[in-house]
């Protein structure tokens, strides 16, 4: 699974906007304020979607575990990553990349 923030990702429209000739003349403070506003909106939406995704995955995983236990005893050792663990890890990686992209735009993301 690729990162949604990469070169072909969600920030391409913002990069294109900021590189346009009209916006190139904006003062640095105004450009930073624009990027910060866009980033805040993107973060809020991403957070809502991530929370919804994780809730759905956990519910589905829980249901599948109950069905599996009802059919057979658990033969695994439980050391493998669950789907929700994998998705959580990918979301973490995506957010880290988003932060790096924001730094490239001149915005210091909060931890």
């Amino acid at each position: 699974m690729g990162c949604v923030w990469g070169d072909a990702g969600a920030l391409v429209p913002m990069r294109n906007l900021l590189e346009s000739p009209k916006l190139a003349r904006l003062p640095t403070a105004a450009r930073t304020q624009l990027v910060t506003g866009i980033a805040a909106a993107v973060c809020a939406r991403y957070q809502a979607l991530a929370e919804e995704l994780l809730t759905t995955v956990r519910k589905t995983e829980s249901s599948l575990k109950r069905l599996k236990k009802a059919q057979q005893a658990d033969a695994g050792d439980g050391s493998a990553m669950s789907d929700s663990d994998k998705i959580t890890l990918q979301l973490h990686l995506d957010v880290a990349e988003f932060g790096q992209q924001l730094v490239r735009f001149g915005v210091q993301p909060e931890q």
Side-chain angles (χ1 to χ4, degrees), residues 62-76:
S62 177
S63 295
L64 290 174
K65 282 181 183 179
R66 283 194 304 272
L67 287 173
K68 186 176 178 179
K69 279 187 177 184
Q71 292 177 354
Q72 64 187 17
D74 188 18

Side-chain angles (χ1 to χ4, degrees), residues 10-89:
L11 295 179
V12 171
M14 183 169 71
R15 182 181 308 120
N16 292 341
L17 175 68
L18 292 172
E19 292 174 353
S20 71
K22 290 181 181 179
L23 284 180
R25 294 179 282 202
L26 274 178
T28 303
R31 289 171 59 88
T32 300
Q33 186 177 11
L34 178 64
V35 171
T36 302
I38 292 170
V42 169
C43 283
R45 182 68 179 139
Y46 187 80
Q47 179 180 1
L49 291 172
E51 287 173 357
E52 181 181 331
L53 172 65
L54 290 173
T55 298
T56 301
V57 168
R58 287 181 182 132
K59 285 180 182 177
T60 302
E61 202 169 64
S62 177
S63 295
L64 290 174
K65 282 181 183 179
R66 283 194 304 272
L67 287 173
K68 186 176 178 179
K69 279 187 177 184
Q71 292 177 354
Q72 64 187 17
D74 188 18
D77 63 2
S79 63
M81 286 182 73
S82 68
D83 287 342
S84 63
D85 291 339
K86 293 174 189 175
I87 291 170
T88 300
L89 175 60

Side-chain angles (χ1 to χ4, degrees), residues 3-9 11-12 14-15 18-19 28 31-32 35-36 39 93-109:
C3 178
V4 298
W5 310 113
D7 290 332
L11 295 179
V12 171
M14 183 169 71
R15 182 181 308 120
L18 292 172
E19 292 174 353
T28 303
R31 289 171 59 88
T32 300
V35 171
T36 302
L93 295 172
D94 287 349
V95 169
E97 176 61 24
F98 180 60
Q100 291 176 359
Q101 293 289 329
L102 289 179
V103 169
R104 290 184 191 116
F105 286 117
V107 175
Q108 289 298 322

